[in-house]
Amino acid sequence: MGLAVCPSDGIDFVQGRYYFVGGRQGWDLYPELIRWPQGKHFKAGDVLVFNYNTEGGNLFSPVRVDKAGYEKCDPSVLKMSDRFNGTGHDRMRLTKGYNCFISAVQDYCGYGMKIAVYAW
């Protein structure tokens, strides 16, 4: 039995929908990333998949922060449970309410490498 996957931003599973952050571009430093969540309807239990380049270390590694950390691009407020694995294919399950993610590199976040989604 095989599974056919069509390229898109999301795939439905029983546990929740999987969303590939940034679509084909992935979690990368480009101006449209911050607008990627627009028009999508997230639910608690959905999973965000962050695909990013790991060459040169974890420069593109995302972190989960609260709304204040998102607004200030401050990764220092995160908890250990909010750190990603640094694999380049990290996943984070959404909780109800705001879920904010920024680049672990503060300058990249300042250039727009961040997203905020609301899960119902």
Side-chain angles (χ1 to χ4, degrees), residues 83-101:
R83 292 187 184 273
F84 285 70
N85 296 329
T87 65
H89 307 287
D90 298 330
R91 297 180 177 139
M92 185 64 75
R93 188 168 302 278
L94 298 177
T95 57
K96 185 173 182 165
Y98 280 100
N99 294 260
C100 302
F101 304 91

Side-chain angles (χ1 to χ4, degrees), residues 14-112:
V14 175
Q15 307 91 343
R17 187 174 173 112
Y18 278 63
Y19 289 91
F20 297 87
V21 176
R24 288 179 183 235
Q25 183 108 11
W27 175 255
D28 203 351
L29 187 57
Y30 67 100
E32 294 80 26
L33 181 64
I34 198 169
R35 293 189 298 273
W36 173 81
Q38 293 177 352
K40 295 173 180 62
H41 303 284
F42 301 97
K43 296 179 184 173
D46 286 348
V47 175
L48 297 185
V49 180
F50 292 80
N51 290 318
Y52 57 94
N53 187 341
T54 58
E55 292 178 23
N58 288 331
L59 291 176
F60 291 111
S61 184
V63 293
R64 182 189 287 227
V65 294
D66 61 15
K67 284 185 80 174
Y70 177 83
E71 294 297 328
K72 295 177 184 175
C73 284
D74 184 3
S76 68
V77 297
L78 62 102
K79 298 176 252 175
M80 286 306 291
S81 63
D82 295 331
R83 292 187 184 273
F84 285 70
N85 296 329
T87 65
H89 307 287
D90 298 330
R91 297 180 177 139
M92 185 64 75
R93 188 168 302 278
L94 298 177
T95 57
K96 185 173 182 165
Y98 280 100
N99 294 260
C100 302
F101 304 91
I102 66 173
S103 170
V105 176
Q106 199 166 10
D107 286 346
Y108 291 175
C109 175
Y111 290 126

